[in-house]
mmCIF file of all heavy atoms in Angstrom:
data_model
loop_
_atom_site.group_PDB
_atom_site.id
_atom_site.type_symbol
_atom_site.label_atom_id
_atom_site.label_comp_id
_atom_site.label_asym_id
_atom_site.label_seq_id
_atom_site.Cartn_x
_atom_site.Cartn_y
_atom_site.Cartn_z
ATOM 1 N N ALA A 1 105.410 89.736 116.805
ATOM 2 C CA ALA A 1 106.523 89.277 117.654
ATOM 3 C C ALA A 1 106.277 89.384 119.118
ATOM 4 O O ALA A 1 106.794 88.502 119.892
ATOM 5 C CB ALA A 1 107.748 90.093 117.283
ATOM 6 N N ASP A 2 105.457 90.361 119.570
ATOM 7 C CA ASP A 2 105.296 90.532 121.011
ATOM 8 C C ASP A 2 104.205 89.614 121.524
ATOM 9 O O ASP A 2 103.050 89.995 121.512
ATOM 10 C CB ASP A 2 104.949 92.017 121.307
ATOM 11 C CG ASP A 2 104.944 92.302 122.808
ATOM 12 O OD1 ASP A 2 105.219 91.393 123.564
ATOM 13 O OD2 ASP A 2 104.679 93.462 123.159
ATOM 14 N N GLN A 3 104.542 88.489 122.001
ATOM 15 C CA GLN A 3 103.573 87.489 122.526
ATOM 16 C C GLN A 3 103.160 87.765 124.032
ATOM 17 O O GLN A 3 102.381 87.033 124.557
ATOM 18 C CB GLN A 3 104.084 86.107 122.371
ATOM 19 C CG GLN A 3 104.336 85.666 120.933
ATOM 20 C CD GLN A 3 103.164 85.893 120.061
ATOM 21 O OE1 GLN A 3 102.087 85.359 120.316
ATOM 22 N NE2 GLN A 3 103.322 86.719 119.059
ATOM 23 N N SER A 4 103.817 88.839 124.615
ATOM 24 C CA SER A 4 103.483 89.111 126.002
ATOM 25 C C SER A 4 102.183 89.850 126.185
ATOM 26 O O SER A 4 101.622 89.938 127.242
ATOM 27 C CB SER A 4 104.632 89.909 126.620
ATOM 28 O OG SER A 4 104.750 91.165 125.963
ATOM 29 N N LEU A 5 101.662 90.364 125.028
ATOM 30 C CA LEU A 5 100.375 91.109 125.109
ATOM 31 C C LEU A 5 99.274 90.140 125.456
ATOM 32 O O LEU A 5 99.134 89.112 124.856
ATOM 33 C CB LEU A 5 100.081 91.788 123.766
ATOM 34 C CG LEU A 5 100.926 93.008 123.418
ATOM 35 C CD1 LEU A 5 100.636 93.466 122.005
ATOM 36 C CD2 LEU A 5 100.675 94.164 124.384
ATOM 37 N N ALA A 6 98.423 90.530 126.424
ATOM 38 C CA ALA A 6 97.322 89.700 126.801
ATOM 39 C C ALA A 6 96.222 89.777 125.723
ATOM 40 O O ALA A 6 96.148 90.707 124.950
ATOM 41 C CB ALA A 6 96.771 90.161 128.139
ATOM 42 N N GLU A 7 95.376 88.726 125.703
ATOM 43 C CA GLU A 7 94.346 88.675 124.706
ATOM 44 C C GLU A 7 93.286 89.814 124.874
ATOM 45 O O GLU A 7 92.673 90.200 123.923
ATOM 46 C CB GLU A 7 93.586 87.343 124.759
ATOM 47 C CG GLU A 7 94.390 86.196 124.134
ATOM 48 C CD GLU A 7 93.496 84.961 123.927
ATOM 49 O OE1 GLU A 7 92.299 85.034 124.095
ATOM 50 O OE2 GLU A 7 94.093 83.913 123.562
ATOM 51 N N ASN A 8 93.192 90.355 126.052
ATOM 52 C CA ASN A 8 92.206 91.421 126.269
ATOM 53 C C ASN A 8 92.727 92.827 125.958
ATOM 54 O O ASN A 8 92.072 93.781 126.201
ATOM 55 C CB ASN A 8 91.689 91.377 127.741
ATOM 56 C CG ASN A 8 92.801 91.516 128.791
ATOM 57 O OD1 ASN A 8 93.981 91.687 128.397
ATOM 58 N ND2 ASN A 8 92.422 91.459 130.057
ATOM 59 N N VAL A 9 93.937 92.881 125.414
ATOM 60 C CA VAL A 9 94.469 94.214 124.957
ATOM 61 C C VAL A 9 93.906 94.514 123.556
ATOM 62 O O VAL A 9 94.118 93.796 122.644
ATOM 63 C CB VAL A 9 96.013 94.193 124.947
ATOM 64 C CG1 VAL A 9 96.542 95.524 124.325
ATOM 65 C CG2 VAL A 9 96.566 93.962 126.312
ATOM 66 N N PRO A 10 93.082 95.585 123.418
ATOM 67 C CA PRO A 10 92.482 95.856 122.082
ATOM 68 C C PRO A 10 93.561 96.193 121.068
ATOM 69 O O PRO A 10 94.440 97.005 121.349
ATOM 70 C CB PRO A 10 91.578 97.104 122.406
ATOM 71 C CG PRO A 10 91.437 97.173 123.840
ATOM 72 C CD PRO A 10 92.684 96.546 124.441
ATOM 73 N N ARG A 11 93.507 95.554 119.917
ATOM 74 C CA ARG A 11 94.439 95.868 118.876
ATOM 75 C C ARG A 11 93.972 95.261 117.561
ATOM 76 O O ARG A 11 93.127 94.358 117.541
ATOM 77 C CB ARG A 11 95.847 95.317 119.189
ATOM 78 C CG ARG A 11 95.939 93.835 119.366
ATOM 79 C CD ARG A 11 97.293 93.559 120.049
ATOM 80 N NE ARG A 11 97.651 92.102 120.102
ATOM 81 C CZ ARG A 11 97.232 91.292 121.059
ATOM 82 N NH1 ARG A 11 96.382 91.740 122.006
ATOM 83 N NH2 ARG A 11 97.583 90.062 121.078
ATOM 84 N N GLU A 12 94.490 95.862 116.480
ATOM 85 C CA GLU A 12 94.215 95.348 115.130
ATOM 86 C C GLU A 12 95.121 94.211 114.853
ATOM 87 O O GLU A 12 96.278 94.148 115.277
ATOM 88 C CB GLU A 12 94.452 96.532 114.118
ATOM 89 C CG GLU A 12 93.816 96.346 112.771
ATOM 90 C CD GLU A 12 92.315 96.534 112.795
ATOM 91 O OE1 GLU A 12 91.746 97.078 113.742
ATOM 92 O OE2 GLU A 12 91.654 96.056 111.834
ATOM 93 N N THR A 13 94.596 93.205 114.119
ATOM 94 C CA THR A 13 95.395 92.012 113.781
ATOM 95 C C THR A 13 95.304 91.778 112.278
ATOM 96 O O THR A 13 94.429 92.274 111.587
ATOM 97 C CB THR A 13 94.944 90.748 114.517
ATOM 98 O OG1 THR A 13 93.673 90.352 114.061
ATOM 99 C CG2 THR A 13 94.901 90.976 116.009
ATOM 100 N N LEU A 14 96.192 90.912 111.772
ATOM 101 C CA LEU A 14 96.153 90.460 110.355
ATOM 102 C C LEU A 14 94.791 89.847 110.101
ATOM 103 O O LEU A 14 94.273 89.924 108.965
ATOM 104 C CB LEU A 14 97.278 89.506 110.061
ATOM 105 C CG LEU A 14 98.638 90.091 109.654
ATOM 106 C CD1 LEU A 14 99.601 88.932 109.344
ATOM 107 C CD2 LEU A 14 98.510 90.965 108.445
ATOM 108 N N MET A 15 94.254 89.123 111.094
ATOM 109 C CA MET A 15 92.997 88.464 110.898
ATOM 110 C C MET A 15 91.874 89.444 110.672
ATOM 111 O O MET A 15 90.969 89.226 109.864
ATOM 112 C CB MET A 15 92.714 87.541 112.063
ATOM 113 C CG MET A 15 91.563 86.546 111.847
ATOM 114 S SD MET A 15 92.025 85.283 110.572
ATOM 115 C CE MET A 15 93.027 84.172 111.529
ATOM 116 N N HIS A 16 91.918 90.552 111.457
ATOM 117 C CA HIS A 16 90.914 91.599 111.218
ATOM 118 C C HIS A 16 91.013 92.133 109.751
ATOM 119 O O HIS A 16 90.026 92.347 109.077
ATOM 120 C CB HIS A 16 91.148 92.808 112.172
ATOM 121 C CG HIS A 16 90.720 92.578 113.550
ATOM 122 N ND1 HIS A 16 91.523 92.041 114.522
ATOM 123 C CD2 HIS A 16 89.536 92.854 114.163
ATOM 124 C CE1 HIS A 16 90.871 91.987 115.692
ATOM 125 N NE2 HIS A 16 89.644 92.490 115.504
ATOM 126 N N PHE A 17 92.244 92.345 109.290
ATOM 127 C CA PHE A 17 92.447 92.803 107.921
ATOM 128 C C PHE A 17 91.789 91.863 106.889
ATOM 129 O O PHE A 17 91.087 92.285 106.007
ATOM 130 C CB PHE A 17 93.961 92.988 107.681
ATOM 131 C CG PHE A 17 94.289 93.118 106.217
ATOM 132 C CD1 PHE A 17 94.202 94.304 105.573
ATOM 133 C CD2 PHE A 17 94.700 92.023 105.469
ATOM 134 C CE1 PHE A 17 94.490 94.502 104.205
ATOM 135 C CE2 PHE A 17 95.031 92.146 104.120
ATOM 136 C CZ PHE A 17 94.935 93.355 103.513
ATOM 137 N N ALA A 18 92.123 90.587 107.061
ATOM 138 C CA ALA A 18 91.631 89.585 106.048
ATOM 139 C C ALA A 18 90.110 89.464 106.015
ATOM 140 O O ALA A 18 89.489 89.447 104.971
ATOM 141 C CB ALA A 18 92.310 88.215 106.309
ATOM 142 N N VAL A 19 89.558 89.476 107.272
ATOM 143 C CA VAL A 19 88.120 89.346 107.370
ATOM 144 C C VAL A 19 87.373 90.625 106.933
ATOM 145 O O VAL A 19 86.368 90.531 106.226
ATOM 146 C CB VAL A 19 87.706 89.010 108.835
ATOM 147 C CG1 VAL A 19 86.194 89.051 109.029
ATOM 148 C CG2 VAL A 19 88.210 87.610 109.217
ATOM 149 N N ARG A 20 87.929 91.785 107.274
ATOM 150 C CA ARG A 20 87.315 93.064 106.857
ATOM 151 C C ARG A 20 87.109 93.138 105.358
ATOM 152 O O ARG A 20 86.085 93.597 104.831
ATOM 153 C CB ARG A 20 88.139 94.223 107.406
ATOM 154 C CG ARG A 20 87.447 95.554 107.119
ATOM 155 C CD ARG A 20 88.308 96.686 107.705
ATOM 156 N NE ARG A 20 88.264 96.770 109.157
ATOM 157 C CZ ARG A 20 89.209 96.435 109.995
ATOM 158 N NH1 ARG A 20 90.384 95.998 109.506
ATOM 159 N NH2 ARG A 20 89.109 96.523 111.255
ATOM 160 N N LEU A 21 88.067 92.639 104.597
ATOM 161 C CA LEU A 21 87.990 92.639 103.120
ATOM 162 C C LEU A 21 87.299 91.467 102.583
ATOM 163 O O LEU A 21 87.164 91.338 101.333
ATOM 164 C CB LEU A 21 89.394 92.774 102.552
ATOM 165 C CG LEU A 21 90.108 94.149 102.643
ATOM 166 C CD1 LEU A 21 91.456 94.187 101.928
ATOM 167 C CD2 LEU A 21 89.219 95.262 102.103
ATOM 168 N N GLY A 22 86.938 90.457 103.397
ATOM 169 C CA GLY A 22 86.274 89.280 102.892
ATOM 170 C C GLY A 22 87.195 88.300 102.174
ATOM 171 O O GLY A 22 86.828 87.668 101.235
ATOM 172 N N LEU A 23 88.494 88.293 102.594
ATOM 173 C CA LEU A 23 89.505 87.432 101.936
ATOM 174 C C LEU A 23 89.436 86.003 102.528
ATOM 175 O O LEU A 23 90.144 85.716 103.455
ATOM 176 C CB LEU A 23 90.900 88.075 102.081
ATOM 177 C CG LEU A 23 91.035 89.545 101.634
ATOM 178 C CD1 LEU A 23 92.444 90.032 101.860
ATOM 179 C CD2 LEU A 23 90.661 89.640 100.140
ATOM 180 N N LEU A 24 88.656 85.213 101.876
ATOM 181 C CA LEU A 24 88.327 83.842 102.376
ATOM 182 C C LEU A 24 89.603 82.992 102.423
ATOM 183 O O LEU A 24 89.917 82.357 103.426
ATOM 184 C CB LEU A 24 87.319 83.194 101.499
ATOM 185 C CG LEU A 24 86.543 81.979 102.022
ATOM 186 C CD1 LEU A 24 85.755 82.311 103.256
ATOM 187 C CD2 LEU A 24 85.639 81.404 100.978
ATOM 188 N N ARG A 25 90.359 82.970 101.275
ATOM 189 C CA ARG A 25 91.524 82.094 101.227
ATOM 190 C C ARG A 25 92.627 82.534 102.198
ATOM 191 O O ARG A 25 93.307 81.742 102.846
ATOM 192 C CB ARG A 25 92.085 82.070 99.790
ATOM 193 C CG ARG A 25 91.080 81.571 98.750
ATOM 194 C CD ARG A 25 91.659 81.772 97.367
ATOM 195 N NE ARG A 25 90.781 81.457 96.290
ATOM 196 C CZ ARG A 25 89.948 82.359 95.723
ATOM 197 N NH1 ARG A 25 89.868 83.544 96.209
ATOM 198 N NH2 ARG A 25 89.181 81.971 94.723
ATOM 199 N N LEU A 26 92.853 83.879 102.243
ATOM 200 C CA LEU A 26 93.920 84.340 103.197
ATOM 201 C C LEU A 26 93.490 84.086 104.632
ATOM 202 O O LEU A 26 94.379 83.740 105.450
ATOM 203 C CB LEU A 26 94.091 85.886 102.926
ATOM 204 C CG LEU A 26 95.195 86.546 103.795
ATOM 205 C CD1 LEU A 26 96.559 85.839 103.538
ATOM 206 C CD2 LEU A 26 95.299 88.005 103.475
ATOM 207 N N THR A 27 92.210 84.252 104.939
ATOM 208 C CA THR A 27 91.764 83.898 106.311
ATOM 209 C C THR A 27 92.021 82.442 106.682
ATOM 210 O O THR A 27 92.543 82.125 107.736
ATOM 211 C CB THR A 27 90.266 84.220 106.429
ATOM 212 O OG1 THR A 27 89.994 85.639 106.211
ATOM 213 C CG2 THR A 27 89.736 83.889 107.839
#
């Protein structure tokens, strides 16, 4: 929800989650 965070702020994302597990369809 917080779109004010700049792209250079380190954080975990749903995309990291999907890629880490190798979830091709979810990615």
Side-chain angles (χ1 to χ4, degrees):
D2 188 1
Q3 297 309 301
S4 62
L5 287 172
E7 283 194 7
N8 57 2
V9 175
R11 61 193 189 278
E12 198 72 18
T13 69
L14 273 181
M15 194 67 79
H16 283 90
F17 164 81
V19 171
R20 186 179 284 108
L21 287 183
L23 305 179
L24 196 64
R25 301 173 186 89
L26 184 57
T27 299

